[in-house]
Amino acid sequence: MTIKHNLPEIPYAPPSRAPSFYLVLLFVVLPLWLVIPLSWSFVIYTLYSARLIYYGWNARLCFAVALCEVFFSVYHYHLVRSISGLPQTSQRNLAELQASFERVLKTGLADLTVDEESLNPERPGSPAESLTQLGPDDPRAIEFRECMRAWFRRATWSSIRRRDLYAYLYWAFYNSPLPATHSPSDHRRDVVDDAIRQVETSCGHDHPRRS
């Protein structure tokens, strides 16, 4: 078996940090992170000590900038809170998600070197191919397994349990974690089971290590 065929089973090795990474972190990223807490500290200290009237024009300018940062941080926090909730998946949205998921799985199935005549000339490479069972050594299945494992912290494909895949797909369709104390409803189970069958079709075999 070549390295390419065994790629989904090769443990991921994080790239080493170059010295420039730490320089950028220390002199660019860290100062940007400190802008908000330093602004809050400066504004609170100034207001608490009532020293604003004693500041010169340059200190007052710094206070004005820090106050803008404080207001922006409050506004940003409000925006984050307003969009951080998990929206409910309606029946219509679920159908759109299923269709999009199937299109993603079909992407790359066309063999452009052999099947060019069967493709739409206006959209070559569009996911118009049928979702058929791929062999485990098919380059398309190998590439799919390599891409799919990125959602599992790049664990080797054989170490990903079926329940891990089930939990990921449940989250993808319903924006919520897989219930731990009780099984999902029959309809939701059918949707996720169908998605798992599609994944197994694209990855070239049944999902390893069922559990």
Side-chain angles (χ1 to χ4, degrees), residues 51-196:
R51 297 180 58 87
L52 181 60
I53 58 176
Y54 302 108
Y55 285 164
W57 68 269
N58 54 344
R60 292 187 180 185
L61 179 61
C62 291
F63 177 81
V65 173
L67 189 61
C68 290
E69 290 290 344
V70 169
F71 287 148
F72 175 77
S73 66
V74 174
Y75 177 66
H76 180 267
Y77 176 76
H78 171 71
L79 290 180
V80 171
R81 288 294 301 272
S82 65
I83 65 174
S84 60
L86 295 176
Q88 296 294 327
T89 302
S90 65
Q91 192 64 32
R92 178 180 179 182
N93 290 339
L94 179 60
E96 293 177 354
L97 287 173
Q98 289 178 289
S100 299
F101 181 72
E102 186 174 354
R103 285 182 60 85
V104 169
L105 294 181
K106 289 180 179 181
T107 301
L109 288 182
D111 189 348
L112 299 181
T113 61
V114 177
D115 201 25
E116 291 180 352
E117 295 182 357
S118 67
L119 297 177
N120 187 339
E122 298 180 356
R123 301 181 61 194
S126 66
E129 297 296 305
S130 59
L131 193 61
T132 57
Q133 179 68 50
L134 300 179
D137 296 329
D138 192 305
R140 295 166 295 179
I142 296 171
E143 182 180 4
F144 176 82
R145 296 197 299 270
E146 174 63 17
C147 294
M148 191 69 181
R149 72 172 183 151
W151 291 100
F152 301 92
R153 299 182 179 180
R154 293 200 172 274
T156 57
W157 182 252
S158 59
S159 67
I160 301 173
R161 302 299 198 273
R162 183 180 177 87
R163 183 167 181 82
D164 299 330
L165 183 61
Y166 197 98
Y168 164 72
L169 292 173
Y170 188 91
W171 165 80
F173 283 114
Y174 297 107
N175 286 328
S176 62
L178 181 66
T181 57
H182 60 279
S183 300
S185 63
D186 292 339
H187 175 68
R188 291 192 171 190
R189 186 186 304 111
D190 292 341
V191 170
V192 179
D193 286 343
D194 183 63
I196 286 183

Side-chain angles (χ1 to χ4, degrees), residues 26 35 102 132 197:
L26 183 61
V35 167
E102 186 174 354
T132 57
R197 284 192 292 269

